[in-house]
């Protein structure tokens, strides 16, 4: 039995056999073969091509629905590549001239082709890079056999163990079988952790070299509440955890009963609780957990778990499904926050040197106007169905906001020309997640209807600490005095300008931080749906007066450690059950 401590990323307990998966961006090491081995390597490569062709031809037959026809077209493109003799010759030449393995030659050659595609300005062509990577993966699977485990066809409950998981991989997991996640890397507010929380899958991240101490099939316990994992637990530990898991389920079940009660403090101050979602299917869960609308719809996930880029109709369909659940309650649709750790299929393998400071979010949209306009059209069309708000992420200066607004108005004019209905008075908001936006909030407030503070990124950019890097995770704190001062500035500026303001970062779901936020004047909060009942319970147990006192005290402190300790003690006194 071995116990490892990491960072708790999503609550809950999982006891299951492990499946170890490698990162999607798996690189094949450059291994040399004896010159006499070259013909055999070339033959292996050709056999892999033949098998891949057979596999795809089989998959192609018998497709019928519209969706399936789309997939068929994609496979037809893949087949053309796989039958291309010049490609096979190029790979064989590489094996001969460099004496490398078949897998290395396949991977290098295909990645070279993909990177040439990515450089092409034409969106349609650059998109094809994703197809090349798919072909590479298919061939490598043939060449490497079962050395890489597959989680697509699970038939029993498992715990996923990986060095690293991308938000895309996590979003694609089947909740029915994937019962827990444990990764060597990552942080509490990384998008992978956020997705795990939304899906309600227990997760522990930042386990350093955990993957080295587990074999596929080992029994593991993932304790997402305490941030620990146990490999090959003894009978006594298993029994203890089975009981603990039952208690935890009962506790969650009991909390669900709070659903119908209002989120109101003991001294009668009403707080609005909204949900953060990544997929339209989560909307119902928000409602079930007592949420009063959507405060953040992370629409970029439409791009992440689909092999093709979503069309306007697909955007529209996803939004309409969500709106249908909420009727006249607010649904805040954030325009795509692609880039950084969330790529479109074609950009997935072309990382930038500093992706979190690169072409991310609104910057990506302003340079890819077609994608942006298409999404805005879908949002506006959906606005005719309910109370939709549109929100731009990662705004850093007024110019970006003005550009985004101008494009939105262009799209409105197009819809007018086509006599398509939309809400002409749709509320427009921005996320405050850069220090630049926080410091100029009073200016930005003049041109928006609302702010939402994204504390995950605001903390990352203020403290210059990568939110997903476990090596600096102890430096990442949303209650650092610098972050708190920025939050206070934004709240004051929003109140002065009389615009709505909410918090939608993970900070708002932490029991220890919530009283401070309420004391600082926050009245609307948006968090992952599974966390809503607990948050409501806390709100119903405190008074604003207590919260104000805490905030006054904290805002006079200069050290993060002092603040954290104070908050921990204060929460323990007022809410002993939170510990
Ligand atoms: C944030 O940055 O706080 C936020 C809510 O957005 P995301 O986590 O999607 O970056
Ligand atoms: Mg953000």
């Amino acid at each position: 039995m071995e116990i490892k401590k990491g960072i708790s990323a999503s609550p809950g307990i999982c006891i299951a056999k492990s499946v170890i998966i490698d990162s999607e961006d798996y690189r094949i090491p450059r291994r040399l073969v004896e010159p006499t081995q070259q013909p055999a390597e070339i033959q292996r490569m050709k056999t892999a091509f033949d098998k891949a062709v057979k596999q795809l031809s089989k998959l192609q037959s018998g497709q019928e629905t519209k969706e399936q026809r789309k997939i068929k077209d994609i496979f037809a493109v893949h087949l053309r590549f796989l039958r291309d003799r010049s490609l096979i010759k190029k790979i064989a030449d590489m094996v001969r001239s460099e004496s490398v393995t078949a897998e290395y030659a396949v991977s290098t050659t295909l990645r070279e082709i993909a990177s040439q595609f990515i450089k092409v300005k034409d969106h349609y062509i650059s998109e094809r890079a994703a197809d090349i990577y798919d072909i590479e993966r298919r061939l490598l699977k043939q060449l490497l056999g079962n050395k890489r485990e597959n989680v697509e066809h699970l038939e029993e409950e498992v715990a996923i163990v990986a060095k690293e998981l991308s938000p895309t991989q996590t979003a694609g997991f089947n909740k029915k079988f994937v019962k827990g996640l444990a990764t060597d890397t990552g942080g509490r507010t990384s998008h992978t952790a956020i997705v795990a929380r939304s899906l309600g899958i227990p997760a522990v991240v930042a386990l350093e070299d955990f993957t080295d101490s587990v074999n596929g099939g080992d029994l593991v316990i993932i304790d997402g509440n305490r941030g620990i994992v146990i490999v090959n637990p003894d009978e006594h530990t298993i029994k203890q955890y089975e009981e603990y898991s039952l208690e935890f389920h009962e506790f969650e079940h009991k909390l669900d009963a709070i659903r119908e009660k209002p989120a109101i403090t003991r001294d009668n101050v009403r707080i609005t609780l909204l949900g953060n979602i990544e997929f339209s299917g989560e909307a119902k869960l928000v409602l079930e957990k007592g949420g009063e609308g959507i405060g953040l719809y992370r629409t970029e996930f439409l791009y992440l778990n689909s092999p093709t880029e979503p069309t306007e109709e697909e955007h529209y369909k996803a939004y309409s499904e969500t709106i249908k659940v909420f009727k006249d309650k607010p649904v805040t649709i954030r325009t795509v926050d692609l880039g950084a750790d969330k790529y479109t299929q074609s950009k997935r393998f072309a990382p930038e040197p500093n992706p979190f400071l690169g072409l991310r979010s609104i910057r990506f949209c302003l340079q890819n106007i077609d994608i942006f306009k298409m999404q805005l059209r879908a949002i506006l069309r959906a606005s005719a169905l309910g109370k939709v708000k549109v929100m731009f992420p990662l705004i850093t200066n007024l110019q970006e906001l003005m550009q985004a607004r101008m494009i939105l108005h262009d799209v409105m004019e197009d819809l007018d020309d086509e006599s398509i209905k939309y809400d002409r008075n749709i509320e427009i908001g921005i996320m405050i997640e850069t220090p630049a936006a926080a410091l100029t909030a009073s200016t930005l407030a003049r041109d928006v209807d609302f702010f939402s503070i994204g504390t995950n990124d605001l903390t990352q950019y203020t403290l210059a600490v990568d939110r997903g890097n476990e090596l600096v995770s102890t430096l990442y704190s949303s209650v650092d005095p610098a972050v708190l001062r920025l939050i206070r500035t934004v709240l004051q500026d929003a109140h002065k300008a009389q615009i709505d303001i909410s918090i939608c970062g993970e900070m708002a779901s932490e029991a220890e931080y919530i009283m401070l936020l309420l004391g600082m004047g926050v009245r609307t909060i948006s968090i992952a749906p599974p966390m809503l009942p607990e948050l409501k319970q806390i709100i119903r147990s405190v008074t604003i007066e207590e919260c104000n006192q805490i905030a006054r005290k904290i805002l006079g402190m200069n050290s993060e450690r002092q603040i954290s300790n104070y908050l921990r003690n204060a929460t323990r006194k007022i809410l002993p059950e939170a510990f």
Side-chain angles (χ1 to χ4, degrees):
M1 175 161 116
E2 190 181 341
I3 303 178
K4 273 236 164 222
K5 177 99 185 83
I7 297 173
S8 141
S10 173
I13 310 294
C14 151
I15 310 173
K17 289 215 171 117
S18 66
V19 164
I20 302 173
I21 60 170
D22 56 41
S23 125
E24 234 179 349
D25 192 11
Y26 185 77
R27 282 188 191 273
I28 305 293
R30 187 172 192 275
R31 277 212 349 262
L32 299 180
V33 295
E34 292 294 326
T36 50
Q37 189 74 30
Q38 288 172 5
E41 284 303 296
I42 291 169
Q43 192 47 51
R44 275 183 68 225
M45 178 268 289
K46 286 185 176 163
T47 310
F49 268 80
D50 286 346
K51 284 192 178 157
V53 166
K54 273 201 195 110
Q55 216 179 33
L56 273 180
S57 311
K58 210 163 130 196
L59 284 175
Q60 250 215 331
S61 57
Q63 312 266 7
E64 266 162 32
T65 63
K66 198 171 148 217
E67 260 317 292
Q68 287 167 331
R69 267 204 299 281
K70 223 158 109 186
I71 296 173
K72 197 170 169 177
D73 290 346
I74 296 170
F75 285 169
V77 175
H78 290 197
L79 273 169
R80 265 206 300 284
F81 261 102
L82 287 164
R83 289 182 174 132
D84 180 352
R85 287 187 178 282
S86 65
L87 174 65
I88 297 175
K89 181 172 178 304
K90 200 168 173 203
I91 298 172
D93 285 349
M94 186 173 184
V95 173
R96 268 186 223 107
S97 62
E98 298 186 27
S99 235
V100 287
T101 57
E103 41 270 36
Y104 181 78
V106 164
S107 178
T108 312
T109 310
L110 287 171
R111 277 169 189 244
E112 247 171 48
I113 298 173
S115 68
Q116 283 159 11
F117 274 39
I118 286 168
K119 283 186 204 132
V120 178
K121 273 267 176 260
D122 183 316
H123 185 58
Y124 177 80
I125 297 179
S126 63
E127 281 304 301
R128 300 283 69 78
D131 291 313
I132 309 285
Y133 288 120
D134 259 358
I135 295 167
E136 181 209 8
R137 232 173 298 164
R138 193 173 288 282
L139 289 168
L140 289 180
K141 214 176 241 173
Q142 294 297 341
L143 287 164
L144 294 166
N146 280 337
K147 277 185 234 162
R148 302 171 71 185
E149 293 193 62
N150 192 338
V151 284
E152 281 159 28
H153 307 291
L154 293 171
E155 281 167 2
E156 57 173 358
E157 296 187 349
V158 298
I160 299 286
V161 177
K163 274 202 176 342
E164 185 178 10
L165 287 173
S166 67
T168 311
Q169 281 175 303
T170 313
F173 287 145
N174 181 347
K175 237 185 96 172
K176 192 166 157 212
F177 296 118
V178 174
K179 293 293 163 192
L181 308 175
T183 61
D184 288 356
T185 59
R188 212 184 125 63
T189 64
S190 62
H191 284 108
T192 304
I194 289 172
V195 174
R197 262 198 300 281
S198 280
L199 294 175
I201 302 177
V204 178
V205 298
L207 287 157
E208 293 173 351
D209 53 0
F210 179 57
T211 42
D212 295 341
S213 36
V214 197
N215 292 310
D218 280 352
L219 188 71
V220 293
I221 294 175
I222 297 175
D223 179 347
N225 297 351
R226 298 185 182 104
I228 55 175
V229 289
I230 306 170
V231 188
N232 292 322
D234 57 32
E235 282 302 318
H236 176 68
T237 313
I238 296 175
K239 216 168 155 28
Q240 260 185 340
Y241 262 98
E242 280 170 349
E243 280 166 21
Y244 178 41
S245 174
L246 266 179
E247 277 168 28
F248 184 69
H249 278 303
E250 272 168 25
F251 168 72
E252 280 194 315
H253 200 65
K254 230 169 54 203
L255 272 182
D256 278 351
I258 207 171
R259 194 187 109 159
E260 306 296 340
K261 297 188 180 154
I264 198 163
T265 59
R266 275 179 28 234
D267 48 354
N268 286 328
V269 176
R270 181 78 167 83
I271 309 296
T272 305
L273 289 186
L274 307 169
N276 292 349
I277 61 168
E278 287 75 36
F279 315 100
S280 59
E282 284 174 277
K284 271 208 187 88
L285 186 64
V286 174
L287 211 57
E288 275 164 29
K289 297 281 176 187
E292 302 164 74
I294 302 293
L296 167 64
Y297 184 168
R298 292 184 166 100
T299 58
E300 59 279 4
F301 279 82
L302 279 169
Y303 286 78
L304 300 188
N305 59 355
S306 151
T308 53
E309 307 236 329
T311 59
E312 182 187 324
E313 279 320 298
E314 282 162 343
H315 277 280
Y316 178 73
K317 188 164 166 269
Y319 307 153
S320 339
E321 279 167 10
T322 311
I323 297 160
K324 223 182 273 163
V325 174
F326 285 98
K327 300 193 179 80
D328 51 358
K329 291 189 176 128
V331 173
T332 313
I333 305 180
R334 172 173 82 179
T335 56
V336 291
D337 182 20
L338 287 164
D341 56 347
K342 293 176 291 193
Y343 305 105
T344 61
Q345 296 297 340
S346 63
K347 297 277 185 294
R348 195 152 41 127
F349 293 94
E352 298 166 73
N354 245 326
F356 276 96
L357 301 182
L359 191 61
R360 180 188 173 188
S361 209
I362 194 72
R363 304 169 184 179
F364 172 85
C365 285
L366 294 176
Q367 285 194 33
N368 289 274
I369 305 273
D370 291 350
I371 293 184
F372 194 33
K373 276 192 160 176
M374 187 246 285
Q375 177 174 30
L376 291 174
R377 248 182 97 91
I379 296 176
L380 283 172
R381 282 173 54 205
S383 72
L385 310 172
K387 195 171 173 210
V388 172
K389 302 181 181 194
V390 60
M391 178 159 78
F392 301 124
L394 207 78
I395 291 289
T396 321
N397 56 49
L398 184 62
Q399 198 183 332
E400 277 172 345
L401 170 59
M402 292 325 237
Q403 268 178 283
R405 285 195 71 121
M406 220 163 63
I407 295 167
L408 182 72
H409 282 112
D410 279 354
V411 177
M412 284 181 171
E413 278 175 16
D414 291 346
L415 292 179
D416 284 337
D417 290 346
E418 295 167 55
S419 305
I420 296 175
K421 275 205 223 144
Y422 64 90
D423 175 6
R424 212 164 280 279
N425 300 315
I426 186 169
E427 284 190 27
I428 302 169
I430 57 172
M431 291 191 71
I432 302 288
E433 35 189 4
T434 62
L439 293 167
T440 54
S442 59
T443 313
L444 295 168
R446 290 187 209 128
D447 289 290
V448 291
D449 299 302
F450 65 94
F451 284 159
S452 189
I453 308 184
T455 53
N456 304 336
D457 277 316
L458 186 61
T459 305
Q460 151 165 278
Y461 292 125
T462 304
L463 303 178
V465 177
D466 181 341
R467 62 195 262 191
N469 183 344
E470 69 288 354
L471 300 176
V472 285
S473 61
T474 50
L475 301 174
Y476 183 97
S477 170
S478 295
V479 292
D480 186 283
V483 182
L484 291 181
R485 279 176 211 180
L486 288 178
I487 295 176
R488 182 177 53 176
T489 302
V490 178
L491 284 163
Q492 285 171 343
D493 287 343
H495 291 150
K496 250 187 245 156
Q498 295 186 326
I499 61 166
D500 288 343
I501 179 152
S502 64
I503 300 255
C504 64
E506 299 307 298
M507 176 190 193
S509 61
E510 305 267 346
E512 284 168 39
Y513 300 163
I514 192 62
M515 285 194 287
L516 168 64
L517 290 175
L518 295 181
M520 287 170 79
V522 173
R523 295 292 179 265
T524 305
I525 289 163
S526 191
I527 56 169
M531 322 296 243
L532 284 166
E534 194 180 341
L535 187 65
K536 195 190 271 185
Q537 164 106 323
I538 296 175
I539 288 167
R540 291 175 58 83
S541 327
V542 301
T543 64
I544 287 294
E545 193 36 49
E546 284 166 339
C547 298
N548 288 346
Q549 267 176 24
I550 288 176
R552 267 197 298 274
K553 194 94 186 163
I554 294 290
L555 291 170
M557 292 180 184
N558 293 317
S559 115
E560 192 279 332
R561 187 169 294 177
Q562 196 188 5
I563 294 174
S564 285
N565 286 340
Y566 183 86
L567 284 177
R568 198 164 308 126
N569 290 333
T571 319
R572 209 167 257 160
K573 257 192 235 146
I574 299 169
L575 300 164
E577 67 280 11
F579 290 87

